[in-house]
Amino acid sequence: MSVEKKTPVAVLISGTGSNLQALIDAEAGRSYQVTLVISNRPNTIGIAKASQQNIPTLVIDHSLYKTREEFDSEVIKAIEAANITTVILAGFMRILTMEFTRHFLGRMLNIHPSLLPKYPGLNTHQKALENQDSEHGLSIHFVTAELDGGPVIQQASFPIQACDSVDSLKKTVQKLEHQCYPDVVDWLVTDKLKLKNNQAFFNQQPLLKPLQFC
Ligand code: GRF
């Protein structure tokens, strides 16, 4: 697939960027291209990695903005200036304003380390262990105004073993995340995936339950 035909996407990160790297590594044969990486934190590993690969990067340090609205509007401006309409959140640790989520509604995905609707927010691995869950996993969802609450598109799950720890769960989840996210981003940019009236559609059929990765 020629570069010209690929859809440019912006990836928003706050840290390591292992999902960002998985998306970049999987570009060949897919219809998206990461053409901008934005971090809300300076000196992240993710930004360093993207720069090394000659991908345009921007640090928009949230701590320099008085309000969430000002920060979000700066991020919107940067994405628009790069002529990008698709936004992929990959470990972006900021709550977005309604203005931001409205702006990219149906064009923005997030990956979350739990089987939503279980455990929105932080410390998902810890919560799964504390609750003695029998399984754990990840969810990829459309981003709406509700934190980690948009329609779920795909999940991947695995059984929790007696010997599992927060670290081991994190490792297993991330390995699966790297396998799942590129395809879902590809579905979005090729219009296989749509959001209408807060309902996800896959191949024009409403997704009555999340697709299962296996
Ligand atoms: C991932 O586990 C993702 O589920 C969560 O944040 C983590 C980001 O990791 N939203 P990385 O920066 O992609 O390595």
Side-chain angles (χ1 to χ4, degrees):
M1 176 157 318
S2 71
V3 168
E4 294 71 40
K5 290 202 176 138
K6 292 197 176 212
T7 301
V9 302
V11 180
L12 273 51
I13 62 165
S14 298
T16 313
S18 69
N19 278 286
L20 162 68
Q21 190 58 56
L23 289 169
I24 297 167
D25 290 344
E27 277 177 358
R30 290 192 171 83
S31 300
Y32 67 84
Q33 185 173 12
V34 179
T35 54
L36 181 62
V37 179
I38 299 179
S39 171
N40 66 308
R41 291 194 185 130
N43 307 316
T44 56
I45 298 174
I47 285 287
K49 276 197 226 152
S51 313
Q52 278 162 16
Q53 294 163 96
N54 298 318
I55 297 168
T57 59
L58 265 181
V59 173
I60 304 179
D61 183 347
H62 68 272
S63 68
L64 304 177
Y65 294 83
K66 278 196 216 102
T67 62
R68 259 182 216 286
E69 284 72 19
E70 283 173 50
F71 168 75
D72 279 12
S73 108
E74 202 59 32
V75 178
I76 292 175
K77 263 195 251 162
I79 295 169
E80 286 194 329
N83 289 317
I84 297 172
T85 55
T86 305
V87 174
I88 306 302
L89 306 182
F92 186 64
M93 305 302 283
R94 292 287 299 168
I95 293 174
L96 295 162
T97 57
M98 189 103 78
E99 194 207 344
F100 197 98
T101 55
R102 268 204 205 121
H103 196 94
F104 293 109
L105 192 64
R107 305 299 310 162
M108 177 158 58
L109 303 179
N110 182 40
I111 191 158
H112 182 78
S114 80
L115 295 170
L116 291 168
K118 268 193 165 181
Y119 317 136
L122 300 173
N123 305 319
T124 57
H125 311 306
Q126 183 70 43
K127 286 173 188 161
L129 288 175
E130 278 168 9
N131 291 326
Q132 301 184 333
D133 288 355
S134 58
E135 59 167 13
H136 189 43
L138 67 97
S139 305
I140 298 171
H141 63 94
F142 278 110
V143 179
T144 62
E146 194 189 336
L147 178 69
D148 299 327
V152 177
I153 300 153
Q154 188 181 54
Q155 292 186 317
S157 57
F158 59 91
I160 297 182
Q161 313 287 346
C163 58
D164 268 320
S165 61
V166 166
D167 276 355
S168 70
L169 291 184
K170 184 176 169 191
K171 233 185 231 166
T172 309
V173 165
Q174 286 212 322
K175 199 170 164 201
L176 285 168
E177 286 182 342
H178 303 162
Q179 295 172 56
C180 291
Y181 217 5
D183 277 335
V184 182
V185 173
D186 199 53
W187 298 338
L188 180 68
V189 301
T190 53
D191 289 334
K192 273 195 185 129
L193 204 55
K194 294 264 186 204
L195 179 72
K196 286 181 214 156
N197 301 324
N198 210 38
Q199 165 75 58
F201 285 76
F202 184 66
N203 284 336
Q204 295 171 1
Q205 299 301 314
L207 266 181
L208 301 177
K209 51 188 185 169
L211 299 163
Q212 296 302 315
F213 176 83
C214 44

